[in-house]
Amino acid sequence: VVRGVDDTLAARAEERLAGLLRVGMPNRFGEQRFGRDGGNVAEGLALLRGERVRGRPPDRRALRFAVSALQSAVFNEALARRPVPLDALEAGDLAEVHASGGVFRVEDLAAEAPRAAAGEVSATGPIFGSRTLEPTGEPLARERAAMAAHGLDPDAPLPRVPGLRLRGARRAFRVFPTEAGIAREGGALRLRFTLPAG
């Protein structure tokens, strides 16, 4: 419930929700994943470099969490660098079919663009790892730049870290809320929505 909302803001919220349902919203990872001042990301990079963190060897769970934070930061960076709207594709993208989760390379942009505009498919970004599929062209160049911006050499093989299997994946750049609605209750709005896991 959001209180103190006048009619103008309520109408704007309803319009904005309609846009999110039609186009989707950025599927970025939340700031809480990165820790205070990005400490989890820095720890993940240190662990991949073979450095000891906080003067002790990390347990497997802490190691996975820190490296996951670094993967998430690279994904968010790739999303932030994307020059086209969420409902658009680029040649060379790896796109996800929302209904099945399948991933394919965008080779015929004219054929695939209407599917993206309709919300059937979305471009994906990297959750880097040893088996992560890569796009081509400009999408690949931006993903490599996103890795470099976080201290990773995109040309170097990922280090083997004991206790960590870093296979990687692709993640859609956008997500669609479902079961969404807004109800006016006097000077307040009651918002409801469901988001997929992750």
Side-chain angles (χ1 to χ4, degrees):
V1 174
V2 182
R3 303 185 193 286
V5 180
D6 64 26
D7 287 344
T8 301
L9 289 177
R12 190 178 303 162
E14 290 169 347
E15 185 178 298
R16 179 73 176 121
L17 177 60
L20 291 175
L21 294 174
R22 186 178 64 256
V23 177
M25 54 192 255
N27 196 16
R28 68 177 62 91
F29 290 95
E31 291 298 314
Q32 71 278 4
R33 180 173 293 246
F34 306 126
R36 181 174 293 150
D37 300 321
N40 294 342
V41 176
E43 187 172 314
L45 182 60
L47 289 168
L48 284 183
R49 290 177 173 167
E51 300 168 10
R52 289 181 69 137
V53 177
R54 297 182 189 146
R56 59 172 173 77
D59 61 39
R60 184 176 294 174
R61 184 170 180 228
L63 187 146
R64 276 196 308 259
F65 184 81
V67 174
S68 173
L70 178 59
Q71 289 172 310
S72 301
V74 169
F75 175 89
N76 281 4
E77 180 77 23
L79 174 57
R81 290 171 179 261
R82 194 154 173 86
V84 298
L86 289 173
D87 60 349
L89 296 171
E90 294 180 277
D93 269 333
L94 288 172
E96 178 181 301
V97 180
H98 288 287
S100 67
V103 175
F104 67 96
R105 188 175 314 282
V106 176
E107 295 175 350
D108 186 344
L109 186 57
E112 302 301 343
R115 295 177 67 200
E120 295 174 20
V121 301
S122 294
T124 64
I127 304 298
F128 70 80
S130 60
R131 296 185 184 176
T132 305
L133 297 174
E134 291 187 326
T136 58
E138 288 301 313
L140 175 60
R142 283 193 304 276
E143 288 187 12
R144 292 169 60 84
M147 290 183 72
H150 286 280
L152 296 165
D153 181 351
D155 292 317
L158 289 170
R160 291 168 118 9
V161 180
L164 181 68
R165 293 171 69 175
L166 198 61
R167 291 184 174 171
R170 301 297 300 180
R171 175 182 168 101
F173 276 138
R174 67 174 166 169
V175 64
F176 292 90
T178 59
E179 302 171 15
I182 294 180
R184 296 189 194 195
E185 298 177 355
L189 290 181
R190 180 176 297 275
L191 308 166
R192 63 179 173 79
F193 55 90
T194 300
L195 294 175

